[in-house]
């Protein structure tokens, strides 16, 4: 049984989805992990992590457009707006998505579907430095 941690840093340049699937796959392979549980945790309340289609870029555009309609950037709708018009909408979006994901690793492979990828979903408009914790437990 082994356990390993890694801090992945992703610098964002605005609201969009940033794929990091290959970085996760490379980390699993580099550490020669065989079978176990792979947990990912983002340490922020205005960004999230999601498993989503990575084949058609229109999916990413539609997700951003949908979430912007769901939580509009209109300060008249919110009490909390300390950091600008995207502040409270970013918190709403992150609460509706994921701050952590757990995936299985089998025979050294992350068990993702054919068109599934791992994404940091940035909800803020300005550049940010985001940290995602990788945690593997297994063999």
């Amino acid at each position: 049984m082994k356990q390993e941690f890694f801090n992945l840093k992703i610098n964002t340049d605005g609201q969009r989805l940033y794929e990091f699937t290959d970085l996760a796959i490379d980390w699993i392979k580099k550490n020669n992990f065989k079978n176990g549980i792979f947990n990912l945790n983002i340490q922020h309340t205005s960004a999230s992590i999601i498993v989503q289609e990575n084949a058609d870029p229109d999916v990413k555009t539609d997700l951003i457009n949908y979430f912007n309609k769901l939580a509009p950037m209109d300060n008249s709708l919110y009490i909390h707006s300390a950091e600008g018009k995207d502040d409270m909408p970013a918190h709403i979006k992150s609460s509706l998505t994921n701050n952590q994901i757990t995936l299985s690793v089998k025979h050294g492979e992350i068990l993702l579907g054919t068109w599934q990828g791992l994404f940091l979903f940035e909800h803020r408009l300005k550049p940010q430095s985001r940290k995602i914790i990788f945690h593997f437990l297994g063999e």
Side-chain angles (χ1 to χ4, degrees), residues 22-38:
D22 290 341
L23 296 170
I25 290 169
D26 291 345
W27 185 72
I28 295 292
K29 290 187 184 301
K30 179 183 108 183
N31 286 284
N32 202 30
F33 298 139
K34 299 297 179 207
N35 299 297
I37 298 295
F38 179 38

Side-chain angles (χ1 to χ4, degrees), residues 49-90:
I49 49 178
I50 61 173
V51 174
Q52 194 47 253
E53 178 178 332
N54 63 358
D56 185 347
D58 290 343
V59 171
K60 295 185 283 187
T61 301
D62 286 342
L63 279 171
I64 289 168
N65 290 339
Y66 176 80
F67 274 90
N68 283 339
K69 289 176 187 169
L70 192 63
M73 292 186 208
D74 178 353
N75 281 345
S76 71
L77 300 173
Y78 313 108
I79 296 168
H80 177 76
S81 61
E83 297 177 39
K85 70 178 184 177
D86 63 344
D87 193 2
M88 193 60 214

Side-chain angles (χ1 to χ4, degrees), residues 64-122:
I64 289 168
N65 290 339
Y66 176 80
F67 274 90
N68 283 339
K69 289 176 187 169
L70 192 63
M73 292 186 208
D74 178 353
N75 281 345
S76 71
L77 300 173
Y78 313 108
I79 296 168
H80 177 76
S81 61
E83 297 177 39
K85 70 178 184 177
D86 63 344
D87 193 2
M88 193 60 214
H91 293 299
I92 293 169
K93 293 170 190 176
S94 68
S95 73
L96 294 173
T97 51
N98 302 298
N99 67 351
Q100 71 175 358
I101 297 172
T102 301
L103 300 164
S104 296
V105 173
K106 182 177 178 184
H107 304 303
E109 303 285 332
I110 301 172
L111 298 183
L112 288 167
T114 303
W115 306 114
Q116 289 184 323
L118 301 170
F119 293 88
L120 182 155
F121 194 174
E122 178 60 68

Side-chain angles (χ1 to χ4, degrees), residues 8-47:
L8 175 66
K9 181 180 170 187
I10 298 177
N11 293 317
T12 66
D13 62 1
Q15 185 184 61
R16 67 182 178 93
L17 281 78
Y18 298 82
E19 187 168 5
F20 63 95
T21 311
D22 290 341
L23 296 170
I25 290 169
D26 291 345
W27 185 72
I28 295 292
K29 290 187 184 301
K30 179 183 108 183
N31 286 284
N32 202 30
F33 298 139
K34 299 297 179 207
N35 299 297
I37 298 295
F38 179 38
N39 184 264
L40 302 94
N41 179 21
I42 190 164
Q43 296 191 310
H44 305 279
T45 59
S46 57

